[in-house]
Amino acid sequence: MVLGELPKEYIKSVHGPYDPAIFYGKKDVPMGQVKLAELPAWLARRNPSPVAIGRAMSRAYWRWNHKYALPKYSGLTPLIQMTVGLSAAFYLMNYSKISHHRNQKYHW
């Protein structure tokens, strides 16, 4: 699949209008319903390639976008979520610099 093309599993006459938040591949058991004995087989069926991970991240973004950012009356929820997410990301990026400024009783 080249950039800008639809997935090969998508069939317009079957699925209707294309939605980037939907996985059009073969349906599988959700992770929450997998038993511990079935977990290795379930993980073996996943595609660990970087392209598949990128597609999964894109679907997650579009699901979040449809649920929080695109509704007519979305309110402040997407802005607050993005602010908290970016704050956490920048805190983790700067943790090595911030951790040296701890308040301690003895400074030797």
Side-chain angles (χ1 to χ4, degrees), residues 6 12 14 19 22-24 26 28 31 33-34 43 47 50 58 62 66 70-71 77 80 83 88 93 98 107:
L6 297 174
K12 185 174 184 175
V14 174
D19 184 3
I22 295 176
F23 177 66
Y24 291 102
K26 184 181 174 187
D28 201 0
M31 185 178 178
Q33 297 177 2
V34 176
L43 288 172
N47 186 357
S58 175
W62 279 106
H66 287 314
L70 293 179
T77 305
I80 293 170
T83 303
M93 285 192 294
I98 296 170
H107 299 282

Side-chain angles (χ1 to χ4, degrees), residues 36-105:
L36 283 177
E38 301 168 353
L39 189 60
W42 187 84
L43 288 172
R45 291 192 301 264
R46 303 293 127 223
N47 186 357
S49 70
V51 173
I53 293 170
R55 289 179 186 163
M57 290 173 64
S58 175
R59 284 192 303 272
Y61 164 74
W62 279 106
R63 285 182 185 146
W64 175 84
N65 204 10
H66 287 314
K67 185 173 184 179
Y68 294 109
L70 293 179
K72 189 173 183 180
Y73 301 108
S74 62
L76 292 175
T77 305
L79 297 174
I80 293 170
Q81 289 177 346
M82 290 295 289
T83 303
V84 170
L86 288 172
S87 297
F90 282 112
Y91 178 79
L92 291 174
M93 285 192 294
N94 293 315
Y95 181 75
S96 61
K97 298 172 188 167
I98 296 170
S99 63
H100 297 297
H101 297 285
R102 293 183 182 151
N103 291 330
Q104 297 178 351
K105 187 172 182 181

